[in-house]
Amino acid sequence: MRALRTLISALCILAGALTILGWAASGLVVRAVEEGTALGAVTRTAFTMPGVVTDISEGAQDQVLASLSERGIDPSAVGLDDEVRDVVDGAVRSPQFEDAMVAAADDAQERFALALTEPDREPAPFTLAVDVSDVVNARIDDVPAVGALAPDVALAPVPIAVIEADTFEDVRATYGAMRWLADWGLWAGLALLAVGMLVSHRRRWFIAKALGAVGVLTLGFGLMVRFVDPAAVMGILPGGEEGTLGTLWAAVITEDAAPQITQRAMTIGAVALVAALVAAGLGKAVARR
């Protein structure tokens, strides 16, 4: 019976510590979504995918050539068709266009938060409509003859699926769980630790063991965020970089957010470990009496 109680107590300690760690991490994920940094990070990640950029570029090229044709300008007639396409492709792959994508993400923040939590939303990708006109017009002047005749090209916003439908449904489900953890994870973790304490037959050392587990896990998580490359972490997560956890990890573990996450996790871990040492000392003192 003692062995069973010890096993149950140990499992409650582990589950409680992991739940508290989930609370600490989920709170930062929810904050990143609410403040808009998560969508901006996902958008920048989408921009690094060759297939996404190629699709955007080809669509913009076709729009530019169609717009020029409507004005009676035929670049192919003077052998400039490929040059126009190259200029548009360069514009789409430029940092200025990436900034335009992030600006579109900022404008779509409210829609993103609603899409994550809307209960009756039909499965669909999350898309952004990016205006490429300014970026293209800044470079179209460089095309001989064509640029002088058509200095201003009006293009329709390009739809960009920054999160595919299947992935976004997984993200919605995971985000719902993280919102719950952010609200209730601390209390759920403490409740699990309380259950573990009730079934333990060596309660004198329970608090020290529980605090030690919380400290080791949260401190280890903080060190991982601080020193391990995010790409390496995403590679070992279920589904890899394109999986649910990988997408969320890429969204939150950015250069701006990583220091904040590290500080929070390591602070909780350090405080828990110090408290564990104090509790162990008190337990030892009680045992001597």
Side-chain angles (χ1 to χ4, degrees), residues 257-270:
Q260 181 183 5
I261 295 171
T262 300
Q263 181 180 4
R264 182 175 189 180
M266 295 186 72
T267 299
I268 293 174

Side-chain angles (χ1 to χ4, degrees), residues 72-168:
I73 303 170
D74 184 6
S76 61
V78 290
L80 295 175
D81 181 88
D82 289 340
E83 188 162 352
V84 170
R85 289 187 177 276
D86 288 343
V87 167
V88 175
D89 184 67
V92 169
R93 298 179 189 275
S94 68
Q96 291 78 15
F97 182 74
E98 182 179 355
D99 292 340
M101 286 181 61
V102 175
D106 292 340
D107 294 338
Q109 171 54 34
E110 185 175 343
R111 183 166 60 88
F112 180 61
L114 178 62
L116 280 174
T117 57
E118 188 177 5
D120 299 326
R121 183 181 187 272
E122 293 293 329
F126 185 81
T127 60
L128 298 177
V130 182
D131 188 351
V132 300
S133 297
D134 291 341
V135 179
V136 171
N137 286 326
R139 299 199 178 196
I140 200 71
D141 291 343
D142 297 336
V143 181
V146 173
L149 293 173
D152 191 13
V153 179
L155 304 176
V158 177
I160 303 171
V162 293
I163 307 178
E164 295 297 333
D166 292 343
T167 301
F168 194 56

Side-chain angles (χ1 to χ4, degrees), residues 22 25-36 38-39 109 112-118 163 167-183 244-245 248 251-252:
S26 295
L28 293 171
V29 173
V30 171
R31 183 186 304 174
V33 170
E34 292 177 346
E35 293 179 355
L39 180 56
Q109 171 54 34
F112 180 61
L114 178 62
L116 280 174
T117 57
E118 188 177 5
I163 307 178
T167 301
F168 194 56
E169 285 304 298
D170 291 339
V171 170
R172 277 166 43 84
T174 304
Y175 180 70
M178 286 188 165
R179 285 187 69 191
W180 187 91
L181 279 172
D183 292 337
T244 304
L245 293 178
L248 288 174
V252 178

Side-chain angles (χ1 to χ4, degrees), residues 11 16 31 62 72 80 98 105 108 116 128-129 150 189 198 208 219 224 234 243 273 285:
L11 290 176
R31 183 186 304 174
D62 292 340
L80 295 175
E98 182 179 355
L116 280 174
L128 298 177
L198 288 174
L219 191 62
M224 180 180 65
M234 288 187 288
L273 287 177

Side-chain angles (χ1 to χ4, degrees), residues 9-31:
S9 178
L11 290 176
C12 286
I13 290 176
L14 179 61
L18 288 173
T19 303
I20 291 173
L21 173 60
W23 161 76
S26 295
L28 293 171
V29 173
V30 171
R31 183 186 304 174

Side-chain angles (χ1 to χ4, degrees), residues 167-261:
T167 301
F168 194 56
E169 285 304 298
D170 291 339
V171 170
R172 277 166 43 84
T174 304
Y175 180 70
M178 286 188 165
R179 285 187 69 191
W180 187 91
L181 279 172
D183 292 337
W184 302 103
L186 177 61
W187 305 113
L190 293 175
L192 286 168
L193 295 179
V195 172
M197 183 174 183
L198 288 174
V199 300
S200 175
H201 69 279
R202 301 185 65 184
R203 296 177 184 174
R204 183 170 61 247
W205 306 107
F206 181 85
I207 294 178
K209 290 188 292 184
L211 289 171
V214 172
V216 169
L217 286 173
T218 53
L219 191 62
F221 178 73
L223 290 172
M224 180 180 65
V225 174
R226 173 64 179 84
F227 294 108
V228 179
D229 183 69
V233 177
M234 288 187 288
I236 63 175
L237 292 174
E241 295 186 20
E242 298 182 0
T244 304
L245 293 178
T247 300
L248 288 174
W249 188 272
V252 178
I253 310 301
T254 62
E255 291 184 2
D256 294 334
Q260 181 183 5
I261 295 171

